[in-house]
Amino acid sequence: MKTLRDRYGIVGVGETEYSRGSNRTTRAMAVEAVRKAILDAGLTAADVDGMMSYQNGDSTPANWVAPDLGIRLNFYMDVVGGGSSTEALIGLAMGAIEAGMCSTVAIFRSMNGYSEFRIGGTGVRAAQPVRGLDLAQVPFGMRSAGQNFALTFMRHMYEYGTTSEQVAHVKVAHSKHASQNPKALLKERVTVEDVVGSRWIVKPLHLLDCCLETDNATCLIVTSAERARDCRPRPVYVMGVAGRVNKPRTDFHWAHGPITRVAGHYARDIVFGQAGIGPEDVDVTGSYDAFTFTTMLQLEEYGFCPKGEGGAYVSSGTIELGGKRPNNTAGGHLCEGYTHGMSMVIENVRQLRGTVDDYCPGAADGVHTYDYGPGRCRQVRDAEIAMNLGWAMPPTGSALILRR
Amino acid sequence: MPQPVTYRGMTLVVPDNDSEWKEYFEHARQHRLALRACAACGLLRYPPTHACPWCMALEWTWREVSGRGTIYSYEIVVHAIQPGFKDAAPYPVVLVELDEQRGAPTPDEALRIVANLVRPDFTPEDEKSVAIGKRVRVVFQDLADHLALPQFTLTDEPAAGRVWRLPG
Ligand SMILES: [Zn+2]
């Protein structure tokens, strides 16, 4: 297995405020996030010569963002993509550097996902004519992400006996984590009863099973391990990366079952093979929570529990701070805000540095209380290896393993 | 180019150069559910794509299927996203596994189609009647002279295997 294990690192992270009304352009937000990440790394504009972004016609391209900060690019690429693009672009940035195209790459995602191009599929997007492959589902009232994924979740309940109460624990855990995150949109802790008592959106999804449409920009900076060691923060190295990995028949993935199987089935051997570790070696996970179910499906598919036992796994306390392997310690898309996956990698970088931005007075210097009460600490003690499980759709996903 | 069809606030477009869907919907307009069959290996496929996913052959013919199948999964849309569906909610969306070619060419594969589960008058079926395992047959909802949507409705046949619906 080809591997670049430990030869590249993530040296800078940054984000704007998470809001539901940024009142500014995606360009302005991207500039702020990229600038923060450069400063976080202890670099200057002259040190960054590569830039990548992903979007769906809802953002500003890299070649408009870089000049605002005085960055001259040797390489840039804006790709069409949503969830699971983060991890894939980290791998592509490593490839661009490995090929000698550039030396340091800033990856950003900027979107007014609430106030402008609503991620949930309402607004301008709902008014577009229906043609091509969309004819296979949109005329039947199936357009939003929740509507697209619910068939998978329902079949999982049928095949494995998974319950609404079990997956509600994902929201419960992430809300606990968000209560220790000053940046989070929703800081209030919720209970299983709150989740299953919230109104139905598309059965089997309740309102609180769904993530939060958010305005924000986020940025990660990738460079070689040699340069990473000269940057200001403690280096965080890439052990393995896979993405965007697909099931067969991705155009209409229900054709190739089991439909309860997700892309991680194909991605896990790639990413664990590169890293030379297994699920049991991972201290922290960031399993994409577009919905409570997506976190559960990916955790089981990557082998953190046997296939079909995801409901028991996510409701066992394992994924909560204080548990054996906390997931989405910043609150994730369900509570912190929706970033198309970027925030979950940013959080894992901070976890491995030991400098999570919680309410501990000494957090910036890595001094934490490890008191997981509301409004306190969310640093995982001695986190050494973190993993991200990126989700686009049931048949498409990415994965990333980082170590300190 | 055929006139776009307005249905539930959506504009449905099947232009003359839509080499995937034009003929599929021409069959549907005549109330026939027809799928592409590979001229080389004979396997049926849906959606109507241009190459055979199993042998890459580009040649195909249309083959009518029975339109009978089993509900493989479903969802109930309670909060409609599309404005034209607001008055239909709650409405069921079903994933129907057709009787033809189940478990072929590998055990995990089948011909599965997304549609609404409807009553004979094409209103949404009562959600309490929707369950995985129930038997269905295709019906065609005429939207215009030149466009009909394949939908599914419950039949009196005994269920196929275990019948299950979301509790509550
Ligand atoms: Zn063939």
Side-chain angles (χ1 to χ4, degrees), chain A residues 122 129-132 136 138-141 147 150-151 154-155 157-158 201-203 249 252 254-258, chain B residues 7 11 13 21 46 72-76 78-79 81-82 85 91 108-110 112 114 116 127 150-151 162 164:
Chain A
T122 56
V130 180
R131 58 169 68 212
V138 176
F140 308 104
Q147 292 164 0
L151 298 173
M154 194 74 95
R155 183 74 190 185
M157 298 173 94
Y158 166 81
I201 299 299
V202 46
K203 295 183 180 183
R249 306 291 304 275
F252 198 77
W254 299 289
H256 197 291
Chain B
Y7 169 60
T11 304
V13 190
W21 291 99
Y46 179 87
Y72 187 76
S73 190
Y74 76 97
E75 65 195 42
I76 306 292
V78 179
H79 175 76
I81 296 289
Q82 295 137 288
F85 275 92
Y91 61 90
D108 293 333
E109 294 179 83
R112 301 191 183 107
V114 167
N116 296 122
E127 69 166 283
Q151 301 276 28
R162 182 161 62 100
W164 180 89

Side-chain angles (χ1 to χ4, degrees), chain A residues 29-368:
Chain A
M29 291 194 297
V31 164
E32 179 187 333
V34 173
R35 179 178 181 275
K36 280 184 173 168
I38 292 172
L39 296 177
D40 176 60
L43 296 173
T44 67
D47 297 315
V48 177
D49 64 347
M51 192 170 286
M52 304 184 84
S53 82
Y54 57 100
Q55 57 157 299
N56 296 296
D58 61 355
S59 190
T60 303
N63 58 324
W64 291 15
V65 171
D68 286 8
L69 293 164
I71 296 170
R72 191 196 66 76
L73 296 172
N74 289 321
F75 165 72
Y76 80 93
M77 188 72 70
D78 301 285
V79 305
V80 174
S84 82
S85 298
T86 314
E87 298 84 0
L89 286 194
I90 289 169
L92 292 179
M94 291 162 55
I97 300 168
E98 187 80 7
M101 297 165 71
C102 58
S103 64
T104 298
V105 179
I107 299 167
F108 75 85
R109 172 75 174 116
S110 183
M111 58 178 168
N112 281 318
Y114 181 81
S115 66
E116 198 172 6
F117 290 92
R118 293 197 65 163
I119 294 294
T122 56
V124 290
R125 290 203 160 123
Q128 292 165 354
V130 180
R131 58 169 68 212
L133 187 57
D134 282 348
L135 290 164
Q137 60 176 82
V138 176
F140 308 104
M142 186 194 220
R143 172 154 231 161
S144 71
Q147 292 164 0
N148 282 333
F149 303 163
L151 298 173
T152 300
F153 307 151
M154 194 74 95
R155 183 74 190 185
H156 197 278
M157 298 173 94
Y158 166 81
E159 287 184 3
Y160 298 112
T162 312
T163 66
S164 295
E165 287 75 13
Q166 285 179 321
V167 294
H169 280 273
V170 173
K171 174 73 173 183
V172 171
H174 296 184
S175 75
K176 174 180 172 178
H177 303 167
S179 77
Q180 278 106 285
N181 179 0
K183 306 186 300 293
L185 269 180
L186 288 188
K187 299 186 182 69
E188 194 166 325
R189 293 185 174 198
V190 301
T191 64
V192 168
E193 291 70 32
D194 291 334
V195 179
V196 300
S198 63
R199 66 187 170 90
W200 289 110
I201 299 299
V202 46
K203 295 183 180 183
L205 292 170
H206 307 81
L207 177 66
L208 296 189
D209 286 304
C210 307
C211 66
L212 307 169
E213 296 168 300
T214 309
D215 296 349
N216 70 92
T218 44
C219 181
L220 296 153
I221 296 180
V222 177
T223 195
S224 65
E226 296 76 47
R227 288 191 192 88
R229 285 189 273 277
D230 293 334
C231 288
R232 188 179 57 192
R234 172 190 227 167
V236 169
Y237 299 102
V238 176
M239 299 179 74
V241 61
R244 303 170 92 183
V245 177
N246 288 280
K247 290 179 67 179
R249 306 291 304 275
T250 312
D251 64 323
F252 198 77
H253 63 93
W254 299 289
H256 197 291
I259 68 167
T260 50
R261 175 182 289 168
V262 299
H265 178 80
Y266 299 91
R268 65 188 178 207
D269 289 347
I270 300 172
V271 70
F272 284 123
Q274 292 171 10
I277 63 161
E280 64 283 359
D281 300 310
V282 175
D283 300 310
V284 185
T285 55
S287 182
Y288 199 101
D289 54 348
F291 303 94
T292 49
F293 280 88
T294 62
T295 291
M296 181 273 291
L297 280 167
Q298 296 197 111
L299 287 169
E300 66 175 25
E301 205 70 84
Y302 281 90
F304 292 99
C305 63
K307 182 66 189 174
E309 295 179 19
Y313 180 81
V314 299
S315 56
S316 66
T318 306
I319 67 167
E320 294 187 22
L321 278 168
K324 183 180 172 205
R325 192 177 299 109
N327 185 69
N328 285 359
T329 54
H333 292 162
L334 289 170
C335 300
E336 185 185 36
Y338 190 70
T339 66
H340 264 151
M342 292 284 287
S343 52
M344 295 164 195
V345 178
I346 291 174
E347 173 71 0
N348 281 357
V349 168
R350 292 193 175 122
Q351 282 287 355
L352 296 175
R353 290 176 179 175
T355 56
V356 155
D357 51 341
D358 54 21
Y359 291 97
C360 293
D365 301 316
V367 180
H368 289 275

